[in-house]
Amino acid sequence: MYICLEGIDGSGKSTQVEMLINWLKKCGIEVFRVFEPTDSPAGRLIRNMLRNPNATNENFQKTLALLFAADRIILMDKITEAEKKSKIVVSDRCFYSSLVYQNGADWIAEINKFAKKPDIVLLMDIDPETAISRCEGKDSFEDIDFLIKIRERYLDLAEKEDFMVVNAKNGLNKVHDDIKRVMARKLGMCI
Ligand code: TYD
């Protein structure tokens, strides 16, 4: 099973990934953790490029889209391998990030056609004002107008693709409890 957490920058996604993994492990479930961009050479290049003030420009975004897709293709083998070992894969972002951040054009979907579709997507939904106050301000995507658009695209996609939408404005533990409840239902576990 492949589970992905999505959300705008500052939505608290990475902390919730950590808490979810710790809980699954405590329940005796073997977990394989992944994140995008990955720590491959392509992923490191992406993280560098995200610090560039032009990162939201059109051609820069196209270049990033290609790099994100390339970084992702390498990751797919690792996910398949973990699933074969019956591990639950928990991912911080997946190809849906490219659809919303690099903006849904057909060719973006096309270059991501090798990406596996997660079985469950949890969308950490939060208003961009609160999210931005939690950001470190080091990346060019941490901009209020940009995040407003990204949130709208996420919510549109959530309807089409049946994401589980979690209110990420609540406190850490409440958000974690909400995620646990969703996951327990999906995995047939008691909490
Ligand atoms: P992330 O590591 O989740 O952010 P943080 O450093 O705050 O934990 O992701 C880094 C940035 O990359 C984030 O702004 C979203 C962006 N991104 C895309 O634009 N497209 C993608 O396909 C992915 C995976 C991430």
Side-chain angles (χ1 to χ4, degrees):
M1 179 174 281
Y2 175 21
I3 300 160
C4 173
L5 271 77
E6 284 284 352
I8 62 174
D9 299 65
S11 59
K13 188 176 41 59
S14 306
T15 309
Q16 290 301 330
V17 165
E18 188 88 45
M19 291 171 90
L20 171 61
I21 289 175
N22 288 341
W23 172 65
L24 288 171
K25 283 186 179 163
K26 254 193 239 151
C27 296
I29 293 171
E30 272 204 90
V31 182
F32 183 65
R33 179 185 189 154
V34 294
F35 49 87
E36 295 191 26
T38 72
D39 53 9
S40 75
R44 288 199 294 275
L45 174 60
I46 291 169
R47 287 195 191 276
N48 255 322
M49 289 179 73
L50 287 171
R51 302 216 173 92
N52 190 305
N54 296 321
T56 54
N57 292 0
E58 206 182 323
N59 281 339
F60 215 101
Q61 281 282 37
K62 286 181 185 155
T63 307
L64 279 171
L66 293 164
L67 288 170
F68 277 119
D71 184 38
R72 184 166 294 129
I73 292 173
I74 303 173
L75 181 66
M76 290 306 123
D77 286 342
K78 293 186 183 159
I79 292 180
T80 307
E81 216 173 287
E83 283 187 310
K84 269 193 207 142
K85 292 181 185 153
S86 302
K87 293 185 182 178
I88 288 198
V89 179
V90 178
S91 182
D92 191 332
R93 299 194 181 280
C94 66
F95 75 97
Y96 287 122
S97 286
S98 280
L99 299 192
V100 297
Y101 278 82
Q102 281 69 49
N103 198 7
D106 286 350
W107 69 272
I108 305 236
E110 182 65 18
I111 60 171
N112 280 288
K113 69 180 177 191
F114 304 110
K116 279 168 93 74
K117 215 173 178 172
D119 300 291
I120 302 171
V121 179
L122 294 152
L123 173 63
M124 303 290 104
D125 182 49
I126 192 162
D127 63 280
E129 290 79 9
T130 307
I132 206 107
S133 70
R134 295 173 175 179
C135 289
E136 293 164 30
K138 59 179 176 14
D139 290 347
S140 296
F141 289 176
E142 295 168 1
D143 166 86
I144 188 83
D145 294 328
F146 186 66
L147 291 187
I148 289 171
K149 281 190 245 156
I150 301 299
R151 184 199 193 189
E152 280 170 11
R153 290 183 200 144
Y154 263 131
L155 290 173
D156 281 348
L157 204 56
E159 267 192 32
K160 284 187 207 129
E161 299 284 326
D162 214 14
F163 296 169
M164 310 298 303
V165 181
V166 177
N167 181 352
K169 205 178 173 174
N170 291 324
L172 274 188
N173 292 325
K174 166 83 175 86
V175 177
H176 179 54
D177 285 348
D178 290 345
I179 292 176
K180 275 200 307 198
R181 211 168 311 114
V182 171
M183 290 310 306
R185 204 170 56 231
K186 292 273 183 189
L187 300 173
M189 298 155 64
C190 306
I191 42 171

